[in-house]
Amino acid sequence: MKKNILMILMSAILILSLGQVVTAAQVIKVFIDGTEQNYEQSPVLLNGTTLVPLRDLFESLGGHLFWDKDSQTAYVTKGKTCLSVQINSTSATVSDYDPDGDACNNPRTVRLNTPAKIINGKTMVPLRFASEYLGAEVLWDQNNSTIQVFSDPNGEEYLKYLVNNYWATPSQSNSQVQQPAVNESPKSTPSNSPIDKNGSIIQVGDRVKFSFFFGEVTKINGGRILVYWDSKDDLWVQDKDVTYMAMLAGIQYKSSSWIDASDLTVQH
């Protein structure tokens, strides 16, 4: 009898200690389309995977949720995709959704590094899996413990974030700096040998990169560099979007613009 009581007490202590580990985890902020999410149960980092409240996430991404209490399985549909995630299961199912027949066809099994969990009474699901299979894009900012989710990877919010943050340098964003006209003398900065963001010296004739754009250095004035932007990263910028993307970056494509040396990367 005493042995059984001791085992029960030890189990209770273990459960409490696990609860303390979860609640003491690092604070993770989640933004969806630029708006910070305020969840009743904060996101949890478990085995390298971020778990977030199931209903809040799916509804924010425009999904339709059905919860099967008996099997503890969540079914979500959005567009032509159907997902099913079961609590404590290391696999999930992705299917083709037929809205006319309200049926999920051609199911495929997806392995999960961390299964969905119930934490403090809330059903928590792996954020990246759930978001990306519903057509969203997920970016992780490790320095700030922030996750950015974009429901439309081709939308304006996502493109702006990529230009101004994800590929931006640690210095002030170039789009926030007013550029002088090409024939206008820029404000000189005391530097005989301007260097790029990686510490490489910049010289006239160097090939440099900023955001998605490449160009050639044509003039140097202190820490300010005049670059003729002549090419782009075709993987990220389509021809139809080039003018808009260049505007977001604060430069002129197929033209010259002054830019801070610290915003550039010399192409070796």
Side-chain angles (χ1 to χ4, degrees), residues 27-93:
V27 176
I28 299 173
K29 295 182 179 180
V30 176
F31 289 77
I32 297 181
D33 292 330
T35 300
E36 183 173 0
Q37 304 300 294
N38 296 309
Y39 298 132
E40 184 176 342
Q41 165 60 49
S42 299
V44 172
L45 187 62
L46 187 62
N47 299 327
T49 299
T50 301
L51 303 180
V52 297
L54 174 148
R55 183 174 296 277
D56 294 329
L57 175 67
F58 286 150
E59 291 183 350
S60 295
L61 294 176
H64 300 283
L65 173 68
F66 170 74
W67 172 251
D68 185 340
K69 183 178 180 180
D70 294 334
S71 65
Q72 290 194 312
T73 302
Y75 297 90
V76 183
T77 61
K78 181 185 178 183
K80 296 182 178 181
T81 301
C82 177
L83 304 180
S84 64
V85 184
Q86 187 175 32
I87 298 299
N88 294 325
S89 175
T90 56
S91 64
T93 302

Short mmCIF file of all heavy atoms in Angstrom, two decimals, residues 27-93:
data_model
loop_
_atom_site.label_atom_id
_atom_site.label_comp_id
_atom_site.label_asym_id
_atom_site.label_seq_id
_atom_site.Cartn_x
_atom_site.Cartn_y
_atom_site.Cartn_z
N VAL A 27 9.26 32.92 -24.50
CA VAL A 27 8.08 33.58 -25.05
C VAL A 27 8.22 33.68 -26.56
O VAL A 27 9.20 34.24 -27.06
CB VAL A 27 7.90 34.98 -24.42
CG1 VAL A 27 6.71 35.68 -25.07
CG2 VAL A 27 7.71 34.86 -22.92
N ILE A 28 7.27 33.14 -27.28
CA ILE A 28 7.30 33.16 -28.74
C ILE A 28 6.13 34.00 -29.24
O ILE A 28 4.98 33.75 -28.86
CB ILE A 28 7.20 31.74 -29.31
CG1 ILE A 28 8.38 30.90 -28.84
CG2 ILE A 28 7.15 31.78 -30.84
CD1 ILE A 28 8.28 29.44 -29.22
N LYS A 29 6.43 34.98 -30.06
CA LYS A 29 5.38 35.81 -30.64
C LYS A 29 5.03 35.30 -32.03
O LYS A 29 5.90 34.91 -32.80
CB LYS A 29 5.85 37.27 -30.74
CG LYS A 29 6.08 37.94 -29.39
CD LYS A 29 6.50 39.39 -29.57
CE LYS A 29 6.71 40.08 -28.23
NZ LYS A 29 7.12 41.50 -28.39
N VAL A 30 3.74 35.31 -32.34
CA VAL A 30 3.26 34.87 -33.64
C VAL A 30 2.51 36.02 -34.31
O VAL A 30 1.61 36.61 -33.70
CB VAL A 30 2.33 33.64 -33.52
CG1 VAL A 30 1.77 33.25 -34.89
CG2 VAL A 30 3.08 32.46 -32.90
N PHE A 31 2.90 36.32 -35.55
CA PHE A 31 2.21 37.33 -36.35
C PHE A 31 1.60 36.64 -37.56
O PHE A 31 2.26 35.83 -38.22
CB PHE A 31 3.18 38.42 -36.82
CG PHE A 31 3.67 39.34 -35.73
CD1 PHE A 31 4.65 38.92 -34.84
CD2 PHE A 31 3.13 40.61 -35.59
CE1 PHE A 31 5.10 39.75 -33.84
CE2 PHE A 31 3.58 41.46 -34.59
CZ PHE A 31 4.57 41.03 -33.71
N ILE A 32 0.36 36.96 -37.86
CA ILE A 32 -0.29 36.45 -39.07
C ILE A 32 -0.67 37.64 -39.93
O ILE A 32 -1.43 38.51 -39.51
CB ILE A 32 -1.53 35.60 -38.74
CG1 ILE A 32 -1.11 34.36 -37.94
CG2 ILE A 32 -2.26 35.19 -40.02
CD1 ILE A 32 -2.26 33.45 -37.58
N ASP A 33 -0.08 37.70 -41.11
CA ASP A 33 -0.29 38.82 -42.05
C ASP A 33 -0.02 40.15 -41.36
O ASP A 33 -0.76 41.13 -41.55
CB ASP A 33 -1.70 38.78 -42.63
CG ASP A 33 -1.90 37.58 -43.55
OD1 ASP A 33 -0.92 37.15 -44.17
OD2 ASP A 33 -3.03 37.08 -43.63
N GLY A 34 1.04 40.20 -40.53
CA GLY A 34 1.47 41.43 -39.90
C GLY A 34 0.78 41.77 -38.60
O GLY A 34 1.15 42.74 -37.94
N THR A 35 -0.20 40.98 -38.18
CA THR A 35 -0.93 41.25 -36.94
C THR A 35 -0.51 40.27 -35.86
O THR A 35 -0.59 39.04 -36.06
CB THR A 35 -2.45 41.14 -37.16
OG1 THR A 35 -2.85 42.08 -38.16
CG2 THR A 35 -3.20 41.43 -35.87
N GLU A 36 -0.07 40.79 -34.71
CA GLU A 36 0.34 39.91 -33.62
C GLU A 36 -0.87 39.18 -33.05
O GLU A 36 -1.93 39.77 -32.81
CB GLU A 36 1.04 40.71 -32.52
CG GLU A 36 1.56 39.83 -31.39
CD GLU A 36 2.39 40.58 -30.36
OE1 GLU A 36 2.57 41.81 -30.53
OE2 GLU A 36 2.85 39.95 -29.40
N GLN A 37 -0.69 37.88 -32.82
CA GLN A 37 -1.77 37.05 -32.30
C GLN A 37 -1.68 36.98 -30.77
O GLN A 37 -0.61 36.75 -30.22
CB GLN A 37 -1.68 35.64 -32.88
CG GLN A 37 -1.68 35.60 -34.40
CD GLN A 37 -2.92 36.21 -35.00
OE1 GLN A 37 -4.02 35.68 -34.82
NE2 GLN A 37 -2.76 37.31 -35.74
N ASN A 38 -2.80 37.19 -30.12
CA ASN A 38 -2.86 37.10 -28.65
C ASN A 38 -3.66 35.87 -28.27
O ASN A 38 -4.90 35.91 -28.21
CB ASN A 38 -3.49 38.38 -28.08
CG ASN A 38 -2.66 39.61 -28.35
OD1 ASN A 38 -1.46 39.62 -28.07
ND2 ASN A 38 -3.27 40.65 -28.89
N TYR A 39 -2.95 34.78 -28.04
CA TYR A 39 -3.60 33.52 -27.72
C TYR A 39 -3.81 33.39 -26.22
O TYR A 39 -2.97 33.79 -25.42
CB TYR A 39 -2.75 32.35 -28.21
CG TYR A 39 -2.53 32.31 -29.71
CD1 TYR A 39 -1.26 32.11 -30.24
CD2 TYR A 39 -3.60 32.46 -30.59
CE1 TYR A 39 -1.06 32.06 -31.60
CE2 TYR A 39 -3.40 32.41 -31.96
CZ TYR A 39 -2.13 32.22 -32.47
OH TYR A 39 -1.93 32.17 -33.82
N GLU A 40 -4.94 32.78 -25.84
CA GLU A 40 -5.20 32.52 -24.42
C GLU A 40 -4.14 31.58 -23.85
O GLU A 40 -3.68 31.75 -22.73
CB GLU A 40 -6.60 31.91 -24.27
CG GLU A 40 -7.02 31.70 -22.83
CD GLU A 40 -8.43 31.19 -22.70
OE1 GLU A 40 -9.20 31.33 -23.69
OE2 GLU A 40 -8.78 30.65 -21.64
N GLN A 41 -3.75 30.59 -24.65
CA GLN A 41 -2.63 29.72 -24.31
C GLN A 41 -1.46 30.10 -25.21
O GLN A 41 -1.55 30.01 -26.42
CB GLN A 41 -2.99 28.24 -24.51
CG GLN A 41 -1.81 27.29 -24.52
CD GLN A 41 -1.01 27.32 -23.22
OE1 GLN A 41 -1.57 27.23 -22.14
NE2 GLN A 41 0.32 27.44 -23.32
N SER A 42 -0.38 30.57 -24.62
CA SER A 42 0.76 31.02 -25.40
C SER A 42 1.38 29.88 -26.19
O SER A 42 1.28 28.71 -25.79
CB SER A 42 1.83 31.63 -24.47
OG SER A 42 1.31 32.74 -23.78
N PRO A 43 2.03 30.19 -27.33
CA PRO A 43 2.73 29.16 -28.10
C PRO A 43 3.79 28.47 -27.23
O PRO A 43 4.37 29.08 -26.34
CB PRO A 43 3.38 29.96 -29.23
CG PRO A 43 2.50 31.16 -29.39
CD PRO A 43 2.06 31.50 -28.00
N VAL A 44 4.02 27.20 -27.52
CA VAL A 44 4.97 26.40 -26.75
C VAL A 44 6.00 25.80 -27.70
O VAL A 44 5.64 25.28 -28.76
CB VAL A 44 4.23 25.27 -25.99
CG1 VAL A 44 5.22 24.32 -25.35
CG2 VAL A 44 3.31 25.86 -24.94
N LEU A 45 7.27 25.87 -27.30
CA LEU A 45 8.34 25.25 -28.08
C LEU A 45 8.64 23.89 -27.46
O LEU A 45 9.09 23.79 -26.33
CB LEU A 45 9.59 26.13 -28.06
CG LEU A 45 10.74 25.68 -28.96
CD1 LEU A 45 10.30 25.69 -30.42
CD2 LEU A 45 11.96 26.58 -28.76
N LEU A 46 8.37 22.83 -28.23
CA LEU A 46 8.53 21.47 -27.72
C LEU A 46 9.32 20.65 -28.73
O LEU A 46 8.91 20.48 -29.88
CB LEU A 46 7.15 20.84 -27.49
CG LEU A 46 7.11 19.48 -26.81
CD1 LEU A 46 7.69 19.56 -25.40
CD2 LEU A 46 5.66 18.97 -26.74
N ASN A 47 10.50 20.17 -28.29
CA ASN A 47 11.37 19.38 -29.18
C ASN A 47 11.68 20.09 -30.49
O ASN A 47 11.72 19.48 -31.57
CB ASN A 47 10.72 18.02 -29.48
CG ASN A 47 10.48 17.19 -28.24
OD1 ASN A 47 11.26 17.25 -27.29
ND2 ASN A 47 9.40 16.42 -28.22
N GLY A 48 11.88 21.41 -30.39
CA GLY A 48 12.23 22.20 -31.57
C GLY A 48 11.05 22.56 -32.45
O GLY A 48 11.23 23.16 -33.52
N THR A 49 9.84 22.21 -32.05
CA THR A 49 8.64 22.51 -32.83
C THR A 49 7.73 23.46 -32.04
O THR A 49 7.51 23.25 -30.85
CB THR A 49 7.85 21.22 -33.15
OG1 THR A 49 8.68 20.36 -33.94
CG2 THR A 49 6.57 21.54 -33.92
N THR A 50 7.23 24.49 -32.71
CA THR A 50 6.32 25.43 -32.06
C THR A 50 4.89 24.95 -32.19
O THR A 50 4.40 24.69 -33.30
CB THR A 50 6.44 26.84 -32.68
OG1 THR A 50 7.79 27.30 -32.54
CG2 THR A 50 5.52 27.82 -31.98
N LEU A 51 4.22 24.81 -31.05
CA LEU A 51 2.82 24.42 -31.02
C LEU A 51 1.97 25.64 -30.68
O LEU A 51 2.32 26.42 -29.80
CB LEU A 51 2.58 23.33 -29.97
CG LEU A 51 3.40 22.04 -30.10
CD1 LEU A 51 3.04 21.07 -28.98
CD2 LEU A 51 3.19 21.37 -31.45
N VAL A 52 0.86 25.80 -31.40
CA VAL A 52 -0.05 26.93 -31.17
C VAL A 52 -1.48 26.40 -31.05
O VAL A 52 -1.78 25.29 -31.49
CB VAL A 52 0.04 27.97 -32.32
CG1 VAL A 52 1.42 28.57 -32.40
CG2 VAL A 52 -0.34 27.32 -33.64
N PRO A 53 -2.38 27.21 -30.46
CA PRO A 53 -3.78 26.78 -30.33
C PRO A 53 -4.41 26.46 -31.68
O PRO A 53 -4.38 27.29 -32.59
CB PRO A 53 -4.45 27.98 -29.66
CG PRO A 53 -3.35 28.66 -28.93
CD PRO A 53 -2.14 28.50 -29.79
N LEU A 54 -4.96 25.27 -31.79
CA LEU A 54 -5.49 24.76 -33.05
C LEU A 54 -6.57 25.66 -33.65
O LEU A 54 -6.47 26.12 -34.78
CB LEU A 54 -6.03 23.35 -32.81
CG LEU A 54 -6.77 22.63 -33.93
CD1 LEU A 54 -6.51 21.13 -33.83
CD2 LEU A 54 -8.27 22.86 -33.82
N ARG A 55 -7.62 25.93 -32.88
CA ARG A 55 -8.76 26.68 -33.42
C ARG A 55 -8.35 28.09 -33.83
O ARG A 55 -8.73 28.57 -34.91
CB ARG A 55 -9.90 26.74 -32.40
CG ARG A 55 -11.15 27.45 -32.92
CD ARG A 55 -12.29 27.36 -31.93
NE ARG A 55 -12.73 25.98 -31.75
CZ ARG A 55 -13.58 25.36 -32.56
NH1 ARG A 55 -14.07 26.00 -33.61
NH2 ARG A 55 -13.94 24.12 -32.31
N ASP A 56 -7.56 28.77 -32.99
CA ASP A 56 -7.15 30.14 -33.30
C ASP A 56 -6.36 30.20 -34.60
O ASP A 56 -6.58 31.09 -35.44
CB ASP A 56 -6.30 30.71 -32.16
CG ASP A 56 -7.10 30.89 -30.88
OD1 ASP A 56 -8.31 31.15 -30.98
OD2 ASP A 56 -6.53 30.75 -29.79
N LEU A 57 -5.42 29.26 -34.79
CA LEU A 57 -4.58 29.27 -35.99
C LEU A 57 -5.40 29.00 -37.24
O LEU A 57 -5.35 29.76 -38.21
CB LEU A 57 -3.47 28.23 -35.86
CG LEU A 57 -2.60 28.06 -37.12
CD1 LEU A 57 -1.80 29.32 -37.38
CD2 LEU A 57 -1.69 26.86 -37.00
N PHE A 58 -6.17 27.92 -37.23
CA PHE A 58 -6.91 27.53 -38.43
C PHE A 58 -7.92 28.60 -38.84
O PHE A 58 -8.07 28.89 -40.03
CB PHE A 58 -7.61 26.20 -38.20
CG PHE A 58 -6.67 25.02 -38.20
CD1 PHE A 58 -6.95 23.90 -37.45
CD2 PHE A 58 -5.51 25.04 -38.95
CE1 PHE A 58 -6.08 22.81 -37.45
CE2 PHE A 58 -4.64 23.97 -38.96
CZ PHE A 58 -4.92 22.85 -38.21
N GLU A 59 -8.61 29.18 -37.88
CA GLU A 59 -9.60 30.20 -38.23
C GLU A 59 -8.93 31.47 -38.74
O GLU A 59 -9.48 32.15 -39.61
CB GLU A 59 -10.50 30.48 -37.02
CG GLU A 59 -11.42 29.29 -36.69
CD GLU A 59 -12.37 29.56 -35.54
OE1 GLU A 59 -12.19 30.62 -34.87
OE2 GLU A 59 -13.28 28.74 -35.30
N SER A 60 -7.75 31.81 -38.21
CA SER A 60 -7.02 32.99 -38.68
C SER A 60 -6.58 32.82 -40.14
O SER A 60 -6.47 33.79 -40.88
CB SER A 60 -5.80 33.26 -37.81
OG SER A 60 -6.19 33.60 -36.50
N LEU A 61 -6.33 31.56 -40.53
CA LEU A 61 -5.88 31.29 -41.90
C LEU A 61 -7.05 31.00 -42.84
O LEU A 61 -6.84 30.63 -43.99
CB LEU A 61 -4.92 30.10 -41.90
CG LEU A 61 -3.57 30.33 -41.19
CD1 LEU A 61 -2.76 29.05 -41.17
CD2 LEU A 61 -2.80 31.45 -41.85
N GLY A 62 -8.26 31.17 -42.34
CA GLY A 62 -9.43 30.98 -43.20
C GLY A 62 -9.87 29.54 -43.36
O GLY A 62 -10.63 29.21 -44.28
N GLY A 63 -9.41 28.65 -42.44
CA GLY A 63 -9.81 27.26 -42.52
C GLY A 63 -11.12 27.00 -41.79
O GLY A 63 -11.51 27.76 -40.90
N HIS A 64 -11.80 25.93 -42.17
CA HIS A 64 -13.04 25.52 -41.51
C HIS A 64 -12.74 24.28 -40.67
O HIS A 64 -12.25 23.27 -41.19
CB HIS A 64 -14.12 25.23 -42.54
CG HIS A 64 -14.45 26.41 -43.40
ND1 HIS A 64 -15.24 27.46 -42.97
CD2 HIS A 64 -14.06 26.72 -44.67
CE1 HIS A 64 -15.35 28.36 -43.93
NE2 HIS A 64 -14.64 27.94 -44.97
N LEU A 65 -13.04 24.35 -39.37
CA LEU A 65 -12.61 23.33 -38.42
C LEU A 65 -13.77 22.48 -37.92
O LEU A 65 -14.85 22.98 -37.63
CB LEU A 65 -11.93 24.02 -37.23
CG LEU A 65 -11.54 23.14 -36.04
CD1 LEU A 65 -10.42 22.19 -36.43
CD2 LEU A 65 -11.10 24.03 -34.86
N PHE A 66 -13.50 21.16 -37.85
CA PHE A 66 -14.43 20.22 -37.20
C PHE A 66 -13.63 19.40 -36.21
O PHE A 66 -12.58 18.84 -36.55
CB PHE A 66 -15.10 19.30 -38.22
CG PHE A 66 -15.88 18.18 -37.58
CD1 PHE A 66 -17.10 18.43 -36.96
CD2 PHE A 66 -15.38 16.88 -37.56
CE1 PHE A 66 -17.82 17.40 -36.35
CE2 PHE A 66 -16.09 15.85 -36.96
CZ PHE A 66 -17.31 16.11 -36.35
N TRP A 67 -14.09 19.31 -34.96
CA TRP A 67 -13.38 18.59 -33.91
C TRP A 67 -14.16 17.35 -33.50
O TRP A 67 -15.32 17.43 -33.10
CB TRP A 67 -13.18 19.50 -32.70
CG TRP A 67 -12.63 18.82 -31.48
CD1 TRP A 67 -13.30 18.56 -30.33
CD2 TRP A 67 -11.31 18.31 -31.30
NE1 TRP A 67 -12.47 17.93 -29.43
CE2 TRP A 67 -11.24 17.75 -29.99
CE3 TRP A 67 -10.17 18.27 -32.11
CZ2 TRP A 67 -10.10 17.17 -29.49
CZ3 TRP A 67 -9.01 17.69 -31.60
CH2 TRP A 67 -8.99 17.15 -30.31
N ASP A 68 -13.52 16.19 -33.66
CA ASP A 68 -14.12 14.93 -33.25
C ASP A 68 -13.62 14.61 -31.85
O ASP A 68 -12.48 14.17 -31.66
CB ASP A 68 -13.72 13.83 -34.23
CG ASP A 68 -14.40 12.50 -33.93
OD1 ASP A 68 -14.88 12.31 -32.79
OD2 ASP A 68 -14.47 11.65 -34.82
N LYS A 69 -14.49 14.83 -30.87
CA LYS A 69 -14.10 14.67 -29.47
C LYS A 69 -13.74 13.23 -29.12
O LYS A 69 -12.79 12.97 -28.37
CB LYS A 69 -15.23 15.15 -28.56
CG LYS A 69 -14.90 15.10 -27.08
CD LYS A 69 -16.05 15.64 -26.25
CE LYS A 69 -15.74 15.59 -24.76
NZ LYS A 69 -16.88 16.12 -23.94
N ASP A 70 -14.48 12.26 -29.68
CA ASP A 70 -14.26 10.86 -29.34
C ASP A 70 -12.87 10.38 -29.76
O ASP A 70 -12.18 9.70 -29.00
CB ASP A 70 -15.33 9.99 -29.99
CG ASP A 70 -16.72 10.25 -29.41
OD1 ASP A 70 -16.79 10.70 -28.24
OD2 ASP A 70 -17.71 10.03 -30.12
N SER A 71 -12.46 10.73 -30.99
CA SER A 71 -11.15 10.29 -31.49
C SER A 71 -10.07 11.34 -31.24
O SER A 71 -8.90 11.09 -31.56
CB SER A 71 -11.23 9.98 -32.98
OG SER A 71 -11.52 11.16 -33.72
N GLN A 72 -10.46 12.50 -30.69
CA GLN A 72 -9.53 13.61 -30.46
C GLN A 72 -8.78 13.96 -31.75
O GLN A 72 -7.56 14.07 -31.77
CB GLN A 72 -8.55 13.28 -29.34
CG GLN A 72 -9.19 13.22 -27.96
CD GLN A 72 -8.18 13.23 -26.84
OE1 GLN A 72 -7.21 12.50 -26.86
NE2 GLN A 72 -8.40 14.08 -25.85
N THR A 73 -9.55 14.13 -32.80
CA THR A 73 -8.99 14.44 -34.11
C THR A 73 -9.60 15.73 -34.65
O THR A 73 -10.81 15.93 -34.57
CB THR A 73 -9.26 13.30 -35.12
OG1 THR A 73 -8.69 12.09 -34.61
CG2 THR A 73 -8.65 13.62 -36.48
N ALA A 74 -8.75 16.60 -35.18
CA ALA A 74 -9.20 17.84 -35.80
C ALA A 74 -9.20 17.67 -37.32
O ALA A 74 -8.21 17.18 -37.89
CB ALA A 74 -8.29 19.00 -35.41
N TYR A 75 -10.30 18.07 -37.95
CA TYR A 75 -10.40 18.05 -39.40
C TYR A 75 -10.53 19.51 -39.87
O TYR A 75 -11.38 20.25 -39.39
CB TYR A 75 -11.62 17.25 -39.86
CG TYR A 75 -11.56 15.78 -39.47
CD1 TYR A 75 -12.08 15.34 -38.26
CD2 TYR A 75 -10.99 14.85 -40.32
CE1 TYR A 75 -12.03 14.00 -37.89
CE2 TYR A 75 -10.93 13.50 -39.97
CZ TYR A 75 -11.44 13.09 -38.76
OH TYR A 75 -11.38 11.77 -38.40
N VAL A 76 -9.68 19.89 -40.82
CA VAL A 76 -9.68 21.27 -41.31
C VAL A 76 -9.73 21.27 -42.82
O VAL A 76 -9.02 20.49 -43.47
CB VAL A 76 -8.42 22.02 -40.84
CG1 VAL A 76 -8.47 23.48 -41.31
CG2 VAL A 76 -8.29 21.96 -39.34
N THR A 77 -10.57 22.12 -43.39
CA THR A 77 -10.62 22.27 -44.84
C THR A 77 -10.39 23.73 -45.21
O THR A 77 -10.80 24.64 -44.51
CB THR A 77 -11.98 21.82 -45.40
OG1 THR A 77 -13.03 22.63 -44.84
CG2 THR A 77 -12.24 20.36 -45.08
N LYS A 78 -9.67 23.92 -46.30
CA LYS A 78 -9.47 25.25 -46.86
C LYS A 78 -9.19 25.09 -48.34
O LYS A 78 -8.26 24.38 -48.73
CB LYS A 78 -8.31 25.98 -46.19
CG LYS A 78 -8.12 27.39 -46.76
CD LYS A 78 -6.90 28.09 -46.19
CE LYS A 78 -6.73 29.46 -46.84
NZ LYS A 78 -5.50 30.14 -46.36
N GLY A 79 -10.00 25.76 -49.16
CA GLY A 79 -9.82 25.62 -50.60
C GLY A 79 -9.98 24.18 -51.03
O GLY A 79 -11.00 23.54 -50.77
N LYS A 80 -8.92 23.62 -51.63
CA LYS A 80 -8.95 22.25 -52.10
C LYS A 80 -8.13 21.31 -51.22
O LYS A 80 -7.75 20.22 -51.64
CB LYS A 80 -8.45 22.19 -53.54
CG LYS A 80 -9.33 22.95 -54.53
CD LYS A 80 -8.80 22.81 -55.94
CE LYS A 80 -9.71 23.55 -56.93
NZ LYS A 80 -9.22 23.41 -58.34
N THR A 81 -7.86 21.73 -49.98
CA THR A 81 -7.03 20.94 -49.07
C THR A 81 -7.80 20.54 -47.83
O THR A 81 -8.57 21.34 -47.28
CB THR A 81 -5.77 21.72 -48.65
OG1 THR A 81 -5.03 22.07 -49.82
CG2 THR A 81 -4.89 20.89 -47.73
N CYS A 82 -7.58 19.31 -47.39
CA CYS A 82 -8.20 18.81 -46.17
C CYS A 82 -7.09 18.23 -45.29
O CYS A 82 -6.27 17.43 -45.76
CB CYS A 82 -9.22 17.73 -46.52
SG CYS A 82 -10.00 16.96 -45.08
N LEU A 83 -7.06 18.64 -44.02
CA LEU A 83 -6.07 18.13 -43.07
C LEU A 83 -6.78 17.43 -41.91
O LEU A 83 -7.87 17.84 -41.51
CB LEU A 83 -5.23 19.27 -42.47
CG LEU A 83 -4.47 20.21 -43.39
CD1 LEU A 83 -3.71 21.25 -42.57
CD2 LEU A 83 -3.51 19.44 -44.28
N SER A 84 -6.14 16.39 -41.39
CA SER A 84 -6.63 15.78 -40.16
C SER A 84 -5.45 15.52 -39.24
O SER A 84 -4.42 15.00 -39.68
CB SER A 84 -7.37 14.47 -40.45
OG SER A 84 -6.51 13.50 -40.99
N VAL A 85 -5.59 15.96 -37.99
CA VAL A 85 -4.52 15.84 -37.00
C VAL A 85 -5.11 15.26 -35.73
O VAL A 85 -6.10 15.78 -35.20
CB VAL A 85 -3.89 17.22 -36.70
CG1 VAL A 85 -2.71 17.07 -35.76
CG2 VAL A 85 -3.45 17.91 -37.98
N GLN A 86 -4.50 14.20 -35.24
CA GLN A 86 -4.97 13.54 -34.02
C GLN A 86 -4.01 13.80 -32.87
O GLN A 86 -2.79 13.82 -33.05
CB GLN A 86 -5.11 12.04 -34.25
CG GLN A 86 -5.76 11.29 -33.09
CD GLN A 86 -5.97 9.83 -33.42
OE1 GLN A 86 -5.21 9.21 -34.15
NE2 GLN A 86 -7.05 9.26 -32.87
N ILE A 87 -4.57 14.03 -31.69
CA ILE A 87 -3.76 14.29 -30.50
C ILE A 87 -2.81 13.12 -30.24
O ILE A 87 -3.21 11.95 -30.30
CB ILE A 87 -4.66 14.53 -29.27
CG1 ILE A 87 -5.53 15.77 -29.47
CG2 ILE A 87 -3.82 14.70 -28.01
CD1 ILE A 87 -4.76 17.05 -29.68
N ASN A 88 -1.54 13.45 -29.96
CA ASN A 88 -0.48 12.49 -29.60
C ASN A 88 -0.09 11.55 -30.73
O ASN A 88 0.63 10.57 -30.51
CB ASN A 88 -0.88 11.65 -28.38
CG ASN A 88 -0.98 12.49 -27.12
OD1 ASN A 88 -0.22 13.44 -26.92
ND2 ASN A 88 -1.94 12.16 -26.25
N SER A 89 -0.51 11.84 -31.96
CA SER A 89 -0.11 11.03 -33.11
C SER A 89 1.06 11.68 -33.84
O SER A 89 1.05 12.91 -34.05
CB SER A 89 -1.29 10.86 -34.08
OG SER A 89 -0.86 10.16 -35.24
N THR A 90 2.04 10.89 -34.23
CA THR A 90 3.21 11.42 -34.93
C THR A 90 2.99 11.47 -36.44
O THR A 90 3.94 11.66 -37.20
CB THR A 90 4.45 10.58 -34.62
OG1 THR A 90 4.18 9.21 -34.95
CG2 THR A 90 4.83 10.69 -33.15
N SER A 91 1.76 11.30 -36.87
CA SER A 91 1.44 11.41 -38.29
C SER A 91 0.13 12.19 -38.46
O SER A 91 -0.72 12.20 -37.57
CB SER A 91 1.32 10.03 -38.95
OG SER A 91 0.26 9.31 -38.41
N ALA A 92 0.02 12.84 -39.60
CA ALA A 92 -1.19 13.57 -39.94
C ALA A 92 -1.57 13.18 -41.36
O ALA A 92 -0.79 12.55 -42.08
CB ALA A 92 -0.98 15.07 -39.83
N THR A 93 -2.77 13.56 -41.77
CA THR A 93 -3.25 13.20 -43.11
C THR A 93 -3.57 14.46 -43.91
O THR A 93 -4.25 15.37 -43.40
CB THR A 93 -4.51 12.31 -43.03
OG1 THR A 93 -4.20 11.13 -42.29
CG2 THR A 93 -4.97 11.91 -44.42
#
